[in-house]
PDB file of all heavy atoms in Angstrom:
ATOM      1  N   GLY Z 794    -243.811 -58.884 -56.493  1.00  0.00           N
ATOM      2  CA  GLY Z 794    -244.748 -58.899 -57.603  1.00  0.00           C
ATOM      3  C   GLY Z 794    -244.155 -58.431 -58.914  1.00  0.00           C
ATOM      4  O   GLY Z 794    -244.820 -58.472 -59.961  1.00  0.00           O
ATOM      5  N   PHE Z 943    -240.903 -50.631 -63.706  1.00  0.00           N
ATOM      6  CA  PHE Z 943    -241.658 -51.907 -63.709  1.00  0.00           C
ATOM      7  C   PHE Z 943    -242.377 -52.021 -62.362  1.00  0.00           C
ATOM      8  O   PHE Z 943    -241.717 -52.065 -61.319  1.00  0.00           O
ATOM      9  CB  PHE Z 943    -240.735 -53.085 -63.928  1.00  0.00           C
ATOM     10  CG  PHE Z 943    -240.103 -53.104 -65.309  1.00  0.00           C
ATOM     11  CD1 PHE Z 943    -238.965 -52.337 -65.577  1.00  0.00           C
ATOM     12  CD2 PHE Z 943    -240.615 -53.892 -66.301  1.00  0.00           C
ATOM     13  CE1 PHE Z 943    -238.401 -52.335 -66.844  1.00  0.00           C
ATOM     14  CE2 PHE Z 943    -240.040 -53.904 -67.572  1.00  0.00           C
ATOM     15  CZ  PHE Z 943    -238.937 -53.123 -67.845  1.00  0.00           C
ATOM     16  N   GLU Z 944    -243.701 -52.053 -62.382  1.00  0.00           N
ATOM     17  CA  GLU Z 944    -244.485 -52.028 -61.159  1.00  0.00           C
ATOM     18  C   GLU Z 944    -245.706 -52.932 -61.264  1.00  0.00           C
ATOM     19  O   GLU Z 944    -246.156 -53.249 -62.372  1.00  0.00           O
ATOM     20  CB  GLU Z 944    -244.955 -50.581 -60.857  1.00  0.00           C
ATOM     21  CG  GLU Z 944    -244.015 -49.797 -59.969  1.00  0.00           C
ATOM     22  CD  GLU Z 944    -244.050 -50.208 -58.517  1.00  0.00           C
ATOM     23  OE1 GLU Z 944    -244.833 -51.128 -58.183  1.00  0.00           O
ATOM     24  OE2 GLU Z 944    -243.289 -49.621 -57.714  1.00  0.00           O
ATOM     25  N   ASP Z 945    -246.251 -53.291 -60.098  1.00  0.00           N
ATOM     26  CA  ASP Z 945    -247.486 -54.092 -60.078  1.00  0.00           C
ATOM     27  C   ASP Z 945    -248.589 -53.461 -59.234  1.00  0.00           C
ATOM     28  O   ASP Z 945    -249.760 -53.618 -59.546  1.00  0.00           O
ATOM     29  CB  ASP Z 945    -247.182 -55.499 -59.540  1.00  0.00           C
ATOM     30  CG  ASP Z 945    -246.756 -55.464 -58.088  1.00  0.00           C
ATOM     31  OD1 ASP Z 945    -245.879 -54.644 -57.734  1.00  0.00           O
ATOM     32  OD2 ASP Z 945    -247.289 -56.260 -57.274  1.00  0.00           O
ATOM     33  N   VAL Z 961    -244.210 -49.856 -67.104  1.00  0.00           N
ATOM     34  CA  VAL Z 961    -244.631 -51.205 -67.488  1.00  0.00           C
ATOM     35  C   VAL Z 961    -245.369 -51.817 -66.299  1.00  0.00           C
ATOM     36  O   VAL Z 961    -244.808 -51.921 -65.205  1.00  0.00           O
ATOM     37  CB  VAL Z 961    -243.424 -52.084 -67.874  1.00  0.00           C
ATOM     38  CG1 VAL Z 961    -243.904 -53.519 -68.199  1.00  0.00           C
ATOM     39  CG2 VAL Z 961    -242.667 -51.481 -69.044  1.00  0.00           C
ATOM     40  N   GLY Z 962    -246.608 -52.209 -66.498  1.00  0.00           N
ATOM     41  CA  GLY Z 962    -247.389 -52.805 -65.430  1.00  0.00           C
ATOM     42  C   GLY Z 962    -247.346 -54.319 -65.480  1.00  0.00           C
ATOM     43  O   GLY Z 962    -247.597 -54.926 -66.523  1.00  0.00           O
ATOM     44  N   LEU Z 963    -247.014 -54.932 -64.359  1.00  0.00           N
ATOM     45  CA  LEU Z 963    -247.028 -56.388 -64.245  1.00  0.00           C
ATOM     46  C   LEU Z 963    -248.365 -56.832 -63.655  1.00  0.00           C
ATOM     47  O   LEU Z 963    -248.750 -56.377 -62.569  1.00  0.00           O
ATOM     48  CB  LEU Z 963    -245.889 -56.867 -63.330  1.00  0.00           C
ATOM     49  CG  LEU Z 963    -244.510 -57.149 -63.954  1.00  0.00           C
ATOM     50  CD1 LEU Z 963    -244.596 -58.341 -64.880  1.00  0.00           C
ATOM     51  CD2 LEU Z 963    -243.975 -55.949 -64.676  1.00  0.00           C
ATOM     52  N   ALA Z 964    -249.073 -57.684 -64.383  1.00  0.00           N
ATOM     53  CA  ALA Z 964    -250.380 -58.146 -63.938  1.00  0.00           C
ATOM     54  C   ALA Z 964    -250.239 -59.352 -63.022  1.00  0.00           C
ATOM     55  O   ALA Z 964    -250.853 -60.401 -63.238  1.00  0.00           O
ATOM     56  CB  ALA Z 964    -251.239 -58.484 -65.148  1.00  0.00           C
ATOM     57  N   THR Z 965    -249.413 -59.192 -61.996  1.00  0.00           N
ATOM     58  CA  THR Z 965    -249.178 -60.277 -61.047  1.00  0.00           C
ATOM     59  C   THR Z 965    -250.001 -60.083 -59.770  1.00  0.00           C
ATOM     60  O   THR Z 965    -250.248 -61.070 -59.065  1.00  0.00           O
ATOM     61  CB  THR Z 965    -247.684 -60.323 -60.654  1.00  0.00           C
ATOM     62  OG1 THR Z 965    -247.290 -59.007 -60.233  1.00  0.00           O
ATOM     63  CG2 THR Z 965    -246.839 -60.728 -61.836  1.00  0.00           C
ATOM     64  N   THR Z 966    -250.396 -58.854 -59.501  1.00  0.00           N
ATOM     65  CA  THR Z 966    -251.156 -58.554 -58.291  1.00  0.00           C
ATOM     66  C   THR Z 966    -252.565 -58.104 -58.636  1.00  0.00           C
ATOM     67  O   THR Z 966    -253.529 -58.444 -57.955  1.00  0.00           O
ATOM     68  CB  THR Z 966    -250.454 -57.443 -57.494  1.00  0.00           C
ATOM     69  OG1 THR Z 966    -249.128 -57.863 -57.183  1.00  0.00           O
ATOM     70  CG2 THR Z 966    -251.198 -57.142 -56.201  1.00  0.00           C
ATOM     71  N   ILE Z 972    -254.812 -52.328 -64.215  1.00  0.00           N
ATOM     72  CA  ILE Z 972    -253.560 -51.571 -64.230  1.00  0.00           C
ATOM     73  C   ILE Z 972    -253.353 -50.804 -65.530  1.00  0.00           C
ATOM     74  O   ILE Z 972    -252.490 -49.931 -65.607  1.00  0.00           O
ATOM     75  CB  ILE Z 972    -252.334 -52.484 -63.988  1.00  0.00           C
ATOM     76  CG1 ILE Z 972    -252.155 -53.496 -65.108  1.00  0.00           C
ATOM     77  CG2 ILE Z 972    -252.455 -53.173 -62.630  1.00  0.00           C
ATOM     78  CD1 ILE Z 972    -250.879 -54.339 -64.968  1.00  0.00           C
ATOM     79  N   LEU Z 980    -247.740 -56.578 -68.815  1.00  0.00           N
ATOM     80  CA  LEU Z 980    -247.150 -57.905 -68.997  1.00  0.00           C
ATOM     81  C   LEU Z 980    -247.676 -58.862 -67.946  1.00  0.00           C
ATOM     82  O   LEU Z 980    -247.936 -58.450 -66.803  1.00  0.00           O
ATOM     83  CB  LEU Z 980    -245.614 -57.844 -68.863  1.00  0.00           C
ATOM     84  CG  LEU Z 980    -244.823 -56.922 -69.784  1.00  0.00           C
ATOM     85  CD1 LEU Z 980    -243.350 -56.924 -69.345  1.00  0.00           C
ATOM     86  CD2 LEU Z 980    -244.956 -57.364 -71.236  1.00  0.00           C
ATOM     87  N   ASP Z 981    -247.809 -60.131 -68.321  1.00  0.00           N
ATOM     88  CA  ASP Z 981    -248.124 -61.159 -67.332  1.00  0.00           C
ATOM     89  C   ASP Z 981    -246.833 -61.635 -66.649  1.00  0.00           C
ATOM     90  O   ASP Z 981    -246.836 -62.025 -65.472  1.00  0.00           O
ATOM     91  CB  ASP Z 981    -248.831 -62.330 -67.986  1.00  0.00           C
ATOM     92  CG  ASP Z 981    -250.193 -61.964 -68.530  1.00  0.00           C
ATOM     93  OD1 ASP Z 981    -250.882 -61.181 -67.860  1.00  0.00           O
ATOM     94  OD2 ASP Z 981    -250.557 -62.445 -69.612  1.00  0.00           O
ATOM     95  N   ASN Z 982    -245.743 -61.648 -67.402  1.00  0.00           N
ATOM     96  CA  ASN Z 982    -244.419 -62.031 -66.925  1.00  0.00           C
ATOM     97  C   ASN Z 982    -243.424 -61.510 -67.948  1.00  0.00           C
ATOM     98  O   ASN Z 982    -243.777 -60.688 -68.796  1.00  0.00           O
ATOM     99  CB  ASN Z 982    -244.306 -63.555 -66.716  1.00  0.00           C
ATOM    100  CG  ASN Z 982    -244.702 -64.318 -67.959  1.00  0.00           C
ATOM    101  OD1 ASN Z 982    -244.234 -64.030 -69.067  1.00  0.00           O
ATOM    102  ND2 ASN Z 982    -245.606 -65.298 -67.803  1.00  0.00           N
ATOM    103  N   TYR Z 983    -242.165 -61.964 -67.871  1.00  0.00           N
ATOM    104  CA  TYR Z 983    -241.130 -61.440 -68.754  1.00  0.00           C
ATOM    105  C   TYR Z 983    -240.784 -62.365 -69.918  1.00  0.00           C
ATOM    106  O   TYR Z 983    -239.838 -62.111 -70.652  1.00  0.00           O
ATOM    107  CB  TYR Z 983    -239.869 -61.151 -67.948  1.00  0.00           C
ATOM    108  CG  TYR Z 983    -240.057 -60.130 -66.865  1.00  0.00           C
ATOM    109  CD1 TYR Z 983    -240.276 -60.537 -65.539  1.00  0.00           C
ATOM    110  CD2 TYR Z 983    -240.024 -58.781 -67.143  1.00  0.00           C
ATOM    111  CE1 TYR Z 983    -240.455 -59.613 -64.526  1.00  0.00           C
ATOM    112  CE2 TYR Z 983    -240.215 -57.819 -66.133  1.00  0.00           C
ATOM    113  CZ  TYR Z 983    -240.429 -58.247 -64.830  1.00  0.00           C
ATOM    114  OH  TYR Z 983    -240.609 -57.330 -63.846  1.00  0.00           O
TER     115      TYR Z 983
END
Side-chain angles (χ1 to χ4, degrees):
F943 294 82
E944 269 285 359
D945 66 312
V961 178
L963 273 292
T965 52
T966 303
I972 65 175
L980 302 174
D981 294 322
N982 53 50
Y983 299 98

